[in-house]
C-alpha cells in the first residue's frame, strides 16, 4: 500500500505520521458509499442532523489539547494558533447548528396569486478538496454546512497536512475521508455521483478542479488565492497594538494565508513614520522558532520548495531594500527545518514579482502613494480580488473607499482573521474564485431551491388561462378564430 508520509517542517528528520493513498478505484468506492448513505442522512429531520453534528463538535472540543500539537507538528503552525484553529472550527460548527434550522426551512406563500412552496434540498454527495495552511477550519467551512443541509461528504485533505483533519472528520457523521494528490482530486471532482465540489487552494489546482467538475456539469465553490492590499488613508491613526495586529495580519502562519495583508500602501509623507513603528511592532510580536516552543508566533513554511520560492522573491527584489523582521526564539536553529526569515521590503515598483504576485510567505512590500485615486487603481491591479483592508480615523471615509475596491471582502481598521465574522459571507471576485463561505450564504451553497407551485388560476374554482398565455396576464394569447395561422415564437 502506498503511503503519504508527513514530516515535521520545523524538524524535517521527524516523521509525524502517514496515511494511505486512495487510488481511483478506492475513490469510486468511497463516493458510492457516500451516495448509498445520502438517502438516510438527508431523510433525517434537520433537528436530528444538527444534534449529531453538535455531538461531533463536543467530541472535537474535548480533544483540542491532544490535537493541537499534532496540527503544529504537521503544518508548522504555532501551538497557540493550532489550538485557536481547532477551537474556531468547533465554534463555527456550533454556529452552523444554531443557524441551519431557520436558513434551511421551507418557505410557503398562499395568497391571491396562488400557492408557492420553496424547499431547500441537498445536492447529494459533495466532494471537498482542502488545503494544508488551515486544514481544520477550511475543511469545516465545507463539512458543517454541507452535512447540516443533508448532503454526504467525501473529503480529500492536502497531503501536506492530512493527519489532524482526518481525526476531526472521524467525529462527524456522513463523511468519508480519502487521501492523495492531484490524481485523487481529479477522480473525486470528476466522479459522476458527486453532485457538488468545494475547493480551497491555489490558482493552478483550482483551474484543474473547476475544469474537471465542469466537464460533468457539476457546480463548484472555489476559494482561491489573493494578493490582498492594505490601504492606509492619510488620516490613519494606529496605536502600538494596531501595528502589532497588522504585523500578524501579514505573518501569521508564516504568511501562508489567502487573506493575509500582502501589500501595504502608505501615504508617501508618512512612510518613514509608518516603517519605524512597523519594525518596532515586529520586534515585539514576531518570534520565529519551533511551533511547539512557548512564545513562538511564526514557525516554518510548509516545504523546502516553498522556502526556496520565497527566498528567491526577496533576493530578486531588484531596487528594493529588504529589512529582516522580528527575532528568533532562544536556542532556535533555522537549519532544522523550512524556516524563512520574515522581511519588510521597501522601494519596489508595482511590477516587481513580490508586489505583482501573491507571495504566500513571510515577505511583504511597503509601497508609497500620493493620491487616493492613484492608490485605488494600484490596489486593484491584477486578476485577484479576494480581500483587502482600508485603515482610517474616519470610518465613513474608509467605508467609501472600501466600497470601490475590487475585492470580495474588505476589512476596515484590521485585516486577516481579526476582521472575520461568522455571519459575514467570505469569498473572492475576479480570479479569486466564486461562491461564498461563512454566513447565511455559506449555508445556502449546499442546497438547491426546489419549487412546488399552483397559480391561482388553476386552484379549485379558478378561471384557468388560455393555452398560450404568459403568467400574470402579460401578453395573454388572443382568442383564435378558425383558420388563423399563428407564427412560431
Amino acid at each position: 500500500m502506498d503511503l503519504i508520509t508527513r514530516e515535521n517542517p520545523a524538524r524535517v528528520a521527524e516523521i509525524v505520521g502517514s496515511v494511505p493513498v486512495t487510488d481511483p478505484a478506492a475513490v469510486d468506492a468511497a463516493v458510492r458509499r457516500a451516495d448509498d448513505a445520502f438517502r438516510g442522512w438527508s431523510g433525517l429531520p434537520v433537528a436530528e442532523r444538527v444534534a449529531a453534528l453538535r455531538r461531533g463538535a463536543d467530541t472535537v472540543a474535548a480533544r483540542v489539547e491532544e490535537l493541537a500539537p499534532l496540527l503544529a507538528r504537521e503544518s508548522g503552525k504555532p501551538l497557540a494558533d493550532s489550538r485557536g484553529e481547532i477551537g474556531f472550527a468547533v465554534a463555527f460548527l456550533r454556529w452552523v447548528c444554531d443557524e441551519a434550522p431557520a436558513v434551511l426551512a421551507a418557505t410557503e406563500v398562499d395568497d391571491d396569486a396562488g400557492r408557492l412552496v420553496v424547499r431547500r434540498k441537498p445536492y447529494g454527495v459533495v466532494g471537498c478538496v482542502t488545503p494544508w495552511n488551515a486544514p481544520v477550519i477550511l475543511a469545516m467551512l465545507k463539512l458543517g454546512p454541507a452535512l447540516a443541509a443533508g448532503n454526504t461528504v467525501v473529503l480529500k485533505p492536502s497531503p501536506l497536512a492530512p493527519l489532524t483533519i482526518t481525526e476531526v472528520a472521524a467525529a462527524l457523521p456522513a463523511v468519508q475521508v480519502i487521501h492523495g494528490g492531484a490524481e485523487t482530486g481529479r477522480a473525486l471532482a470528476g466522479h459522476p455521483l458527486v453532485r457538488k465540489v468545494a475547493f480551497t487552494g491555489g490558482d493552478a489546482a483550482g483551474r484543474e478542479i473547476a475544469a474537471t467538475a465542469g466537464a460533468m456539469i457539476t457546480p463548484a465553490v472555489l476559494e482561491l488565492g489573493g494578493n490582498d492590499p492594505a490601504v492606509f488613508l492619510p488620516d490613519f491613526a494606529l496605536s502600538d497594538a494596531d501595528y502589532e495586529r497588522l504585523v500578524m495580519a501579514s505573518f501569521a502562519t508564516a504568511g501562508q494565508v489567502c487573506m493575509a495583508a500582502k501589500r501595504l500602501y502608505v501615504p508617501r509623507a508618512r512612510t518613514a513614520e509608518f516603517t519605524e513603528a512597523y519594525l518596532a511592532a515586529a520586534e515585539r510580536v514576531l518570534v520565529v522558532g519551533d511551533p511547539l516552543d512557548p512564545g513562538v508566533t511564526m514557525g516554518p513554511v510548509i516545504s523546502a520548495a516553498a522556502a526556496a520560492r520565497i527566498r528567491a522573491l526577496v533576493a530578486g527584489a531588484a531596487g528594493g531594500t529588504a529589512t529582516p523582521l522580528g527575532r528568533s526564539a532562544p536556542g532556535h536553529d533555522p537549519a532544522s527545518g523550512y524556516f524563512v526569515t520574515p522581511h519588510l521590503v521597501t522601494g519596489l515598483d508595482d511590477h516587481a514579482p513580490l508586489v505583482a504576485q501573491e507571495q504566500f510567505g513571510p515577505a511583504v512590500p511597503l509601497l508609497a502613494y500620493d493620491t487616493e485615486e492613484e492608490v485605488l487603481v494600484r490596489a486593484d491591479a491584477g486578476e485577484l480580488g479576494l480581500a483587502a483592508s482600508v485603515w482610517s480615523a474616519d470610518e465613513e471615509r474608509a467605508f467609501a473607499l472600501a466600497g470601490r475596491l475590487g475585492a470580495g471582502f474588505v476589512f476596515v481598521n484590521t485585516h486577516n482573521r481579526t476582521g472575520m465574522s461568522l455571519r459575514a459571507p467570505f469569498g473572492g471576485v475576479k480570479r479569486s474564485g466564486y461562491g461564498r463561505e461563512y454566513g447565511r450564504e455559506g449555508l445556502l451553497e449546499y442546497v438547491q431551491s426546489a419549487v412546488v407551485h399552483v397559480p391561482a388560476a388553476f386552484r379549485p374554482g379558478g378561471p384557468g388561462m388560455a393555452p398560450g398565455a404568459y403568467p400574470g396576464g402579460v401578453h395573454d394569447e388572443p382568442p383564435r378564430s378558425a383558420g388563423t395561422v399563428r407564427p412560431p415564437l
Side-chain angles (χ1 to χ4, degrees), residues 407-482:
F409 197 111
V410 182
F411 308 100
V412 170
N413 290 330
T414 192
H415 199 121
N416 208 333
R417 67 187 183 212
T418 56
M420 300 296 291
S421 170
L422 295 177
R423 69 180 184 176
F426 183 87
V429 299
K430 299 191 286 188
R431 302 292 184 194
S432 287
Y434 43 81
R436 293 294 180 263
E437 296 183 319
Y438 295 99
R440 177 185 177 92
E441 289 85 346
L443 274 163
L444 293 175
E445 288 286 356
Y446 295 94
V447 290
Q448 301 176 92
S449 297
V451 169
V452 180
H453 179 232
V454 57
F458 302 109
R459 303 188 79 175
M465 294 172 69
Y470 285 88
V474 178
H475 300 301
D476 284 348
E477 179 183 84
R480 284 186 288 169
S481 59

Side-chain angles (χ1 to χ4, degrees), residues 69-438:
L70 177 62
L71 180 57
R73 290 170 62 222
E74 71 170 326
S75 71
K77 189 187 296 282
L79 184 58
D81 283 356
S82 297
R83 289 193 192 98
E85 178 180 336
I86 298 167
F88 184 55
V90 169
F92 173 76
L93 181 56
R94 288 172 172 160
W95 181 87
V96 166
C97 292
D98 291 342
E99 298 294 321
V103 173
L104 301 175
T107 59
E108 182 169 353
V109 177
D110 191 342
D111 58 16
D112 290 345
R115 184 179 178 189
L116 171 66
V117 177
V118 181
R119 293 186 173 88
R120 310 291 191 184
K121 290 199 172 183
Y123 282 87
V125 179
V126 175
C128 299
V129 180
T130 55
W132 48 263
N133 60 326
V136 177
I137 183 56
L138 292 178
M140 193 63 77
L141 291 176
K142 300 158 183 57
L143 293 172
L147 294 169
N151 303 281
T152 53
V153 175
V154 179
L155 169 68
K156 191 203 84 66
S158 167
L160 293 174
L163 305 174
T164 311
I165 185 54
T166 298
E167 293 289 322
V168 169
L172 303 179
V175 180
Q176 307 276 324
V177 180
I178 60 177
H179 293 287
E183 181 184 32
T184 305
R186 283 192 296 269
L188 178 60
H191 197 288
L193 292 178
V194 169
R195 304 303 184 193
K196 184 145 193 179
V197 170
F199 172 83
T200 298
D203 174 77
R207 289 173 187 269
E208 185 170 356
I209 289 288
T212 302
M216 300 300 296
I217 320 180
T218 303
V221 177
L222 301 179
E223 198 265 89
L224 306 179
N227 192 12
D228 304 15
V231 178
F232 298 85
L233 292 178
D235 66 344
F236 75 85
L238 273 62
S239 66
D240 287 349
D242 293 329
Y243 276 106
E244 292 171 4
R245 187 159 31 88
L246 174 61
V247 168
M248 295 313 298
S250 290
F251 294 101
T253 317
Q256 302 166 118
V257 179
C258 61
M259 60 183 176
K262 300 188 178 80
R263 295 175 285 156
L264 310 178
Y265 289 94
V266 180
R268 193 174 306 278
R270 299 191 66 184
T271 55
E273 163 202 349
F274 181 98
T275 302
E276 180 181 4
Y278 190 93
L279 294 176
E283 185 69 19
R284 293 192 299 271
V285 300
L286 202 52
V287 182
V288 181
D290 190 296
L292 295 178
D293 289 349
V296 164
T297 59
M298 194 188 106
V301 297
I302 194 66
S303 67
R309 179 184 58 78
I310 297 157
R311 291 191 188 109
L313 276 175
V314 175
T321 300
T323 304
L325 298 174
R327 51 198 163 89
S328 290
H332 169 55
D333 176 13
S336 65
Y338 307 131
F339 291 94
V340 176
T341 301
H343 283 88
L344 178 71
V345 184
T346 56
L348 296 178
D349 65 35
D350 288 358
H351 301 293
L354 187 63
V355 178
Q357 300 173 12
E358 179 187 19
Q359 68 270 47
F360 215 70
V364 64
L366 189 157
L367 305 149
Y369 75 89
D370 294 302
T371 70
E372 190 170 314
E373 290 303 314
E374 169 206 340
V375 76
L376 180 66
V377 172
R378 293 170 64 192
D380 274 349
E383 294 194 326
L384 301 179
L386 185 60
S389 62
V390 180
W391 304 66
S392 172
D394 182 341
E395 185 175 291
E396 291 303 318
R397 185 178 182 184
F399 267 72
L401 181 64
R404 299 174 66 196
L405 283 168
F409 197 111
V410 182
F411 308 100
V412 170
N413 290 330
T414 192
H415 199 121
N416 208 333
R417 67 187 183 212
T418 56
M420 300 296 291
S421 170
L422 295 177
R423 69 180 184 176
F426 183 87
V429 299
K430 299 191 286 188
R431 302 292 184 194
S432 287
Y434 43 81
R436 293 294 180 263
E437 296 183 319
Y438 295 99

